Amino acid sequence: MTNQHHPKKDKSRPTHEKIERHYFGQFLSHYESQEGNFKCFRRNYEIPKGDIVYSDSPDVMIHGVTTLGEVTTLGVEITRSYISDDPEKSEQAQRERRELVLARAKLRAPKGKKYDLWIGFDPRHPILDKQATPIARELAEVVENILDKWLCGRVPKQFFEHIPQVKSIYFNPIEYSAPAWRTLQCYEGSTLEFKRVQEIVEKKSRKLQNYQKCTKYWLLIVIDFIDRAQDQDLQLGAEDVLQKSPFECVLLYKPQFGELVLARQSDDG
């Protein structure tokens, strides 16, 4: 198919887009902070009464007094659970490499700079170290070719089947004053693996000896559903029991939903 002339309409971006990004950014920054996570946690779980101090190692300290007049300090360590810690395949690393590929490809595609494109990457074929530049070069060549052969919409796989890291390409032929190339990702849901919880608890337990002294400690493992590098369903089976740790409580928490799971330890009975 031979492409027709692309309509040239100098359309400005909707002004509400910047407003949405602003407020969504505020929303994210609140949940991404340890203090923000703990304030949400307090609404969903009863904590001992006392003076709350936001600190470091542990992240939160609650100074209180028991009914017998004993001074106590509860230390709450807050951490996150990522689906993968593999430096090559983790979503954290892949997000950066996808953006790098798009930026470099756009520089190499003179005609493509005028249009909006959405590029989907295949998580089964991660972008490995030093692959960003060659993938960007191949993607730029594809974009330059499809502009003359494809009118709009989803581009057939045959045009880029030689790039396994690319799963889909959508092309918008309208020229904008500030065109953008964006990633378009689809993900499959995943369940938090008990082994991952064990690894986090063991890692934090080893570090606890260097923390500020507290009467007892809790470990709060946060899973942020907005971040695809973290989003996992909280489902622990009856057989999923941790070995006894220095933490009195190990809690798994999704702040946006108020979803909370108390992980059992070996002497919980």
Side-chain angles (χ1 to χ4, degrees), residues 112-265:
K113 291 179 183 178
K114 299 185 292 184
Y115 305 105
D116 276 355
L117 287 109
W118 289 264
I119 315 294
F121 291 88
D122 192 339
R124 297 172 300 177
H125 299 282
I127 302 169
L128 303 180
D129 188 31
K130 299 181 181 180
Q131 284 187 335
T133 296
I135 293 174
R137 182 169 54 248
E138 293 177 334
L139 180 58
E141 291 172 357
V142 168
V143 170
E144 291 292 277
N145 288 331
I146 65 173
L147 291 178
D148 295 326
K149 299 176 182 177
W150 198 249
L151 185 61
C152 67
R154 182 167 186 149
V155 178
K157 180 70 174 177
Q158 67 192 59
F159 286 102
F160 55 91
E161 59 186 356
H162 58 290
I163 313 176
Q165 293 83 359
V166 176
K167 189 175 184 179
S168 63
I169 300 176
Y170 286 85
F171 168 53
N172 180 358
I174 298 176
E175 292 186 26
Y176 289 103
S177 58
W181 289 22
R182 302 178 179 86
T183 58
L184 179 65
Q185 289 305 115
C186 294
Y187 299 93
E188 296 181 356
S190 60
T191 300
L192 177 63
E193 295 184 0
F194 180 62
K195 179 182 178 182
R196 187 79 186 103
V197 179
Q198 289 177 309
E199 291 172 349
I200 294 172
V201 173
E202 290 171 2
K203 180 179 179 180
K204 287 295 182 180
S205 295
R206 290 194 295 269
K207 293 183 176 181
L208 205 57
Q209 61 181 352
N210 297 319
Y211 280 26
Q212 298 180 68
K213 297 300 180 184
C214 297
T215 311
K216 54 188 176 182
Y217 298 91
W218 289 3
L219 178 60
L220 181 62
I221 303 174
V222 176
I223 295 93
D224 185 350
F225 92 100
I226 294 177
D227 184 356
R228 283 303 314 172
Q230 300 181 51
D231 188 22
Q232 303 151 87
D233 290 334
L234 304 185
Q235 297 179 11
L236 295 184
E239 71 283 1
D240 294 329
V241 181
L242 296 166
Q243 292 294 319
K244 180 59 181 174
S245 76
F247 296 101
E248 181 183 64
C249 291
V250 176
L251 300 128
L252 314 176
Y253 182 50
K254 272 191 172 182
Q256 294 88 348
F257 297 112
E259 188 177 355
L260 191 67
V261 174
L262 175 63
R264 292 174 56 211
Q265 301 193 56

